[in-house]
Amino acid sequence: MEIWINPACSKCRGALTQLDAAGAGYTVRRYLEDPPSEAELEAVLARLGLEPWDVTRVQEPVARELGLRDWPRDAATRPKWTAALAAHPRLIQRPIITADDGTALVARTDDAVREALRRRA
């Protein structure tokens, strides 16, 4: 199991606390320091079953600068969204847990973290 975090994020810290309390084995990826490539983002999006705009923090200042709210949300524009997330990892919703069963979750709630724990192999 891997968890993508921003250590300054309270939701990320809460998810780590839950994982630790459950004795889960996991790897931490500080995605702002070690940004995912476009290929890694595509792989995680496939595991999440989501589109890039579904995991984009559109309230971030860089999102406003890029005008993301006005970008089309369609197959033709999908690569542009993924490129923006790779170039500006602060836009990525967090935390993201890649579960042992090959799926992933945006683990912003306690229930989502518990679900990731249930998906352990």
Side-chain angles (χ1 to χ4, degrees):
M1 175 179 323
E2 182 176 74
I3 181 168
W4 292 10
I5 68 158
N6 172 353
C9 169
S10 63
K11 299 283 185 187
C12 294
R13 291 190 308 271
L16 292 173
T17 298
Q18 263 190 284
L19 294 175
D20 289 341
Y26 61 91
T27 302
V28 171
R29 181 169 187 172
R30 294 176 178 220
Y31 71 92
L32 296 178
E33 297 166 18
D34 179 17
S37 67
E38 290 180 45
E40 288 175 300
L41 284 166
E42 287 294 349
V44 166
L45 288 166
R47 291 175 77 169
L48 286 165
L50 297 173
E51 296 294 339
W53 47 83
D54 295 327
V55 298
T56 300
R57 297 172 53 86
V58 295
Q59 74 282 10
E60 290 290 327
V62 69
R64 287 191 296 275
E65 290 170 20
L66 295 171
L68 289 181
R69 287 187 189 266
D70 298 325
W71 287 12
R73 296 176 182 210
D74 57 23
T77 312
R78 191 176 198 280
K80 185 176 176 181
W81 282 88
T82 306
L85 292 173
H88 307 282
R90 187 165 298 282
L91 294 173
I92 301 170
Q93 191 60 258
R94 66 200 180 239
I96 293 177
I97 297 176
T98 56
D100 292 339
D101 69 353
T103 62
L105 298 103
V106 177
R108 294 192 54 75
T109 66
D110 290 346
D111 286 342
V113 177
R114 282 192 289 275
E115 179 59 28
L117 289 166
R118 281 191 287 277
R119 295 179 185 187
R120 285 188 286 183

